[in-house]
Amino acid sequence: MYEDEFDNRNCDRCRKIECICHKPKPEKEEKKSKCHKVCGNILLNDRTSIVEIWNNRSSFDTIVTASIFNSAASTSSIKVVFFLCNGDTAEIIVPVGNTISTSIEEVCFIQVSRVDGSKVDGRFCLDICFLNAYLNGHND
């Protein structure tokens, strides 16, 4: 029972000892974000030089943490371009045999491409957090 609904028979007893009938309702912990992990392979060659690896098809603000791995078997660095929802871009270059991670807010989509050379063999993992998914009552 909660503060606004208590059993009258127990009122005298509740005043003398701590009782659950006068404790406030427990508050639900409100989630402020919903996160997903997306991972995949990157294979760029003479036929495919640019690939979009993620596109934000929602209206929610995002923070994306991207980890991009470029194999030692690649002959090119990987150029990762983050297209921000305000029209700006941010980019990182991942040299052959390296991994680079970064976190960026308000990402609309992400593209990877070859810098030079003819072959890229790599992997990406994205931790995507939709910041106001629960604040707006959206639970998907």
Side-chain angles (χ1 to χ4, degrees), residues 20-60:
I20 62 165
C21 62
H22 289 288
K23 288 188 177 182
K25 290 181 182 179
E27 292 187 27
K28 278 187 175 178
E29 185 177 317
E30 184 176 349
K31 292 187 179 182
K32 295 182 180 172
S33 64
K34 184 167 187 165
C35 300
H36 299 281
K37 185 173 212 119
V38 176
C39 295
N41 296 319
I42 301 169
L43 183 57
L44 303 173
N45 52 34
D46 292 334
R47 286 191 248 151
T48 307
S49 60
I50 298 175
V51 174
E52 184 177 282
I53 60 172
W54 182 74
N55 191 326
N56 182 5
R57 291 186 170 89
S58 76
S59 60
F60 302 122

Side-chain angles (χ1 to χ4, degrees), residues 12-118:
D12 290 334
R13 192 178 68 147
C14 289
R15 288 185 198 130
K16 294 177 186 167
I17 62 171
E18 190 171 327
C19 181
I20 62 165
C21 62
H22 289 288
K23 288 188 177 182
K25 290 181 182 179
E27 292 187 27
K28 278 187 175 178
E29 185 177 317
E30 184 176 349
K31 292 187 179 182
K32 295 182 180 172
S33 64
K34 184 167 187 165
C35 300
H36 299 281
K37 185 173 212 119
V38 176
C39 295
N41 296 319
I42 301 169
L43 183 57
L44 303 173
N45 52 34
D46 292 334
R47 286 191 248 151
T48 307
S49 60
I50 298 175
V51 174
E52 184 177 282
I53 60 172
W54 182 74
N55 191 326
N56 182 5
R57 291 186 170 89
S58 76
S59 60
F60 302 122
D61 293 335
T62 58
I63 293 179
V64 177
T65 299
S67 294
I68 311 295
F69 166 72
N70 192 357
S71 169
S74 296
T75 61
S76 173
S77 295
I78 300 173
K79 180 179 179 181
V80 184
V81 181
F82 300 87
F83 292 87
L84 308 182
C85 296
N86 67 6
D88 291 340
T89 60
E91 67 179 56
I92 58 173
I93 303 294
V94 184
V96 173
N98 285 278
T99 300
I100 294 182
S101 296
T102 188
S103 294
I104 299 181
E105 294 182 25
E106 297 186 29
V107 178
C108 279
F109 66 98
I110 303 169
Q111 284 183 342
V112 294
S113 62
R114 294 179 284 132
V115 173
D116 51 21
S118 61

Side-chain angles (χ1 to χ4, degrees), residues 2-16:
Y2 298 104
E3 188 172 23
D4 57 343
E5 46 180 319
F6 58 89
D7 187 344
N8 286 330
R9 294 173 296 162
N10 292 327
C11 280
D12 290 334
R13 192 178 68 147
C14 289
R15 288 185 198 130
K16 294 177 186 167

